[in-house]
Amino acid sequence: MSTTAAADAAIAVPIGELFSSSSVKYQIPLYQRNYTWGEEQIDRLIDDVLDEAERPVWKDYFLGNLVVAPPVRVDDPFDVIDGQQRLTTLYILLMKLSEHQHPIGELHPLTYESREKSTLALRGILAPQHENEDREHEDAGILRARRRIELRLHDNELTRRLEESDFVDYLLTRVKLIRMPVHSKDLNRYFEVMNTRGLQLSPVDIVKARLLRCLTGDADRALLNKVWTACSDMDHYVSMTVTSDSTEWRGQVFGPDWDDAPTADFTMLRTQLVDRSPGADKAVGTASALVTGSLAFEDAITAYAQAPEARTETGSDDSERFSSQISFATLLLHVLAVRRPDTGTVTNERDLDDKLLIRRFTDELGGKDAGAQEAWVRSFTTDLLRTRFLFDRCVLKRDATLTSTHESSSDEEPGSWSLSRVVRGTSNGKTSPRYQPAFASDEFGAGPRSVHRRLLLLQSALRVTYTSPRSMHWMTEVLRYATDCAARGARVDGAGLLEHLEAFTRERVAQALFPVSAPDEVAADGTPLGFGVPRIVFTYLDYLLVETMNSWDFTFSYRTSIEHFSPRTEDSEHASSAYRVEDRELLDTLGNLALVTVSANSKFSNYQPQEKANNAAARRQSLKLELMARRAKASGWSDQDIRAHHEEMVGVLRRNLDKSRHARTTP
């Protein structure tokens, strides 16, 4: 490294030059937190870059800022002040791409100051899986990232898109970070600013300002503002937040039991929520302050940003109880998707890409005159509240009051899966909310084999399968079905919803298990191999095995690692004949694979089947793995066992898919 102006000036650094041998080195200083990015953030980075690479004309794509402190000595590394999560992810991605024979070139190592675990974890990125490394000492976050990127790069469809788009070339040459130097004398001031700066306007803020500006009446704006504010509080039930001041008022909007979908009539909804609301004059005044017809769009945004938020009190003690599985921005995109006609075609992942939120609403409003825009916004307002109500009623959440030792959708999220509706209850003579099973009259109707239990299992299976918000099209299908029921004035039928969601899932399982354009390497029966087996195959199989094995207490956890039950590196010295696999091609078939959590995979990935069969914690994660363990303990795990289990599991899936096809063709 030389002490040129480049070290002291903000410059755009292409990703291909970030870690090149001729570039500077980077170090994560000791005071920085550990690597914490999860699957969603990693997928988002890869997918965003891939989207740009697939454009007909390439343009530079800026991932963000990399704030660094230049070193005192010439040959020392830059300290990374801000941007270490993105930087670490890029380093792991480049190393994994080089492992897949992409021309990345030699890379400077990224290091963590005085943190041996993190540095060792990065150093081991390219370590062959058969090496007996001490994974207990690896940094957990970096290990998760390694596993996730490895899994993505083994996906056949993604591999095809990477090659066709020249993804690697685009990543190396057109994707850039802005490296911004901050010298040691300015660091304290930088951290002070970072900790006290106000939040900038988000795309959600901008969309709201645009919609408000389309409405001409103050009361209309007040309604949109109230609906928007209540719906944006994703961790409370909207029936509680939008009518937080009065239980009597709640009964007028959502029915006497608080369980009816709100009206789709804008004028009636305005009467209910604005004209008759406690503090109606204040609400209208606030809306008037937000936007006036004479304001330019930029001024409208400024006025909105400075306006006070409406109250979101729930009147209950559930403030820390429920957590939504999507953000409000993603909910807005689901509303748009539900409003469009169902064409029955393959779903476009970009429909749920919140990076395109502003563009989606611009497209909806574009080409309309002022009157048509106002009519569209009025219709969207009622659809937003109704969709959010149905989302609360029909889509699973996490409930922190429910606990489980082995179930989680992420490493941080507390509680267990919940599918509950809020209804009017009475406690000590006072009206209060009560949460009960969404598709059962009481807890007894939510037990084994019930429609409610099946829906909760299937939704949780889909949730841990499609972890990125932009891939959660199953949620759109739930909301579409529920919206159709509400449009007919009917309650959502649980059995009908289950049938609809199972049909959606089976279609994706069929595409995954028996792809039309089969990958180059498949098993003899045409099923994909190894890391090419999509996650939906494993999760839907476990969903079917719940009934087959009468395991109705099974819960789906956040599993991302494909585990070879008999490892690809055989311990021939210690393996008995009962556990020896002669036909090594069987190791990558579905019969030898299970889906487990990253932590389980890291702890016993190189163990032999007889040892894995004794791991109770791992066996709880997968019913398929439980069957494999039972067979291994009973008779061993040889070629015959793998073939038998493979045929049994493929048979379970085939029969379910054939049953679905028969149902569609039967008059």
Side-chain angles (χ1 to χ4, degrees), residues 350-363:
R350 304 211 78 187
D351 288 345
L352 300 179
D353 184 355
D354 62 4
K355 185 164 61 72
L356 303 178
L357 182 69
I358 296 175
R359 185 190 303 179
R360 287 281 178 264
F361 278 87
T362 300
D363 291 344

Side-chain angles (χ1 to χ4, degrees), residues 69-70 182-191:
V182 176
H183 291 274
S184 56
K185 61 184 177 63
D186 300 319
L187 279 180
N188 288 338
R189 178 58 183 158
Y190 174 80
F191 288 127

Side-chain angles (χ1 to χ4, degrees), residues 240-426:
M240 302 295 294
T241 56
V242 80
T243 56
S244 59
D245 299 282
S246 167
T247 57
E248 180 181 352
W249 183 27
R250 189 171 301 133
Q252 295 174 5
V253 179
F254 298 101
D257 294 326
W258 306 350
D259 199 28
D260 295 337
T263 179
D265 184 286
F266 182 88
T267 302
M268 183 179 296
L269 187 64
R270 185 186 62 204
T271 299
Q272 292 174 341
L273 288 181
V274 177
D275 300 342
R276 297 177 184 171
S277 71
D281 292 340
K282 180 180 178 182
V284 174
T286 298
S288 180
L290 287 174
V291 183
T292 64
S294 61
L295 285 178
F297 175 61
E298 291 75 11
D299 296 329
I301 292 178
T302 302
Y304 162 66
Q306 295 174 347
E309 288 293 326
R311 292 176 61 195
T312 57
E313 298 172 5
T314 65
S316 69
D317 60 355
D318 67 340
S319 58
E320 302 297 331
R321 178 172 179 176
F322 297 103
S323 57
S324 171
Q325 298 303 294
I326 60 172
S327 68
F328 179 54
T330 302
L331 176 72
L332 292 173
L333 293 170
H334 280 290
V335 177
L336 292 181
V338 170
R339 284 167 60 90
R340 291 194 293 271
D342 182 11
T343 60
T345 58
V346 176
T347 311
N348 184 354
E349 278 205 0
R350 304 211 78 187
D351 288 345
L352 300 179
D353 184 355
D354 62 4
K355 185 164 61 72
L356 303 178
L357 182 69
I358 296 175
R359 185 190 303 179
R360 287 281 178 264
F361 278 87
T362 300
D363 291 344
E364 293 288 349
L365 293 171
K368 294 182 174 66
D369 59 29
Q373 286 184 346
E374 182 167 25
W376 188 92
V377 174
R378 286 162 64 99
S379 174
F380 179 82
T381 301
T382 57
D383 284 352
L384 173 58
L385 182 60
R386 176 172 282 207
T387 303
R388 176 59 204 275
F389 172 84
L390 295 170
F391 173 87
D392 288 343
R393 198 185 193 284
C394 302
V395 177
L396 86 172
K397 293 179 170 62
R398 301 289 292 189
D399 186 345
T401 66
L402 304 176
T403 58
S404 172
T405 58
H406 60 279
E407 175 197 349
S408 178
S409 67
S410 74
D411 291 330
E412 297 84 14
E413 207 168 10
S416 297
W417 301 119
S418 168
L419 188 56
S420 301
R421 57 193 171 111
V422 60
V423 298
R424 179 194 287 267
T426 303

Side-chain angles (χ1 to χ4, degrees), residues 424-586:
R424 179 194 287 267
T426 303
S427 177
N428 298 323
K430 296 182 179 180
T431 300
S432 61
R434 183 163 58 91
Y435 300 94
Q436 66 179 41
F439 297 100
S441 58
D442 52 40
E443 294 293 341
F444 296 102
R449 301 184 182 276
S450 67
V451 167
H452 177 88
R453 181 62 184 161
R454 293 174 192 270
L455 272 169
L456 183 60
L457 281 166
L458 183 54
Q459 286 198 30
S460 56
L462 292 167
R463 172 64 183 91
V464 301
T465 300
Y466 302 108
T467 53
S468 170
R470 59 193 282 175
S471 65
M472 295 182 188
H473 299 290
W474 65 269
M475 203 175 285
T476 305
E477 292 303 311
V478 171
L479 294 173
R480 191 188 304 279
Y481 180 88
T483 299
D484 289 344
C485 290
R488 301 194 306 269
R491 293 190 182 278
V492 180
D493 173 55
L497 176 58
L498 178 64
E499 182 180 354
H500 182 79
L501 197 55
E502 282 185 338
F504 169 88
T505 309
R506 282 193 293 263
E507 180 180 348
R508 275 139 189 83
V509 173
Q511 295 169 353
L513 192 62
F514 306 108
V516 176
S517 55
D520 294 335
E521 295 184 4
V522 296
D525 58 0
T527 56
L529 294 171
F531 294 111
V533 182
R535 196 184 307 174
I536 185 62
V537 173
F538 295 101
T539 49
Y540 190 63
L541 183 54
D542 276 339
Y543 169 74
L544 297 178
L545 290 175
V546 165
E547 182 156 19
T548 302
M549 299 170 63
N550 196 29
S551 298
W552 293 95
D553 61 343
F554 177 74
T555 55
F556 282 94
S557 56
Y558 193 71
R559 303 172 296 165
T560 60
S561 291
I562 292 180
E563 167 68 15
H564 290 73
F565 195 59
S566 181
R568 286 182 288 185
T569 302
E570 184 181 35
D571 185 2
S572 56
E573 181 180 350
H574 299 95
S576 67
S577 58
Y579 294 95
R580 186 169 295 129
V581 179
E582 302 295 340
D583 184 356
R584 308 302 292 173
E585 294 183 358
L586 290 173

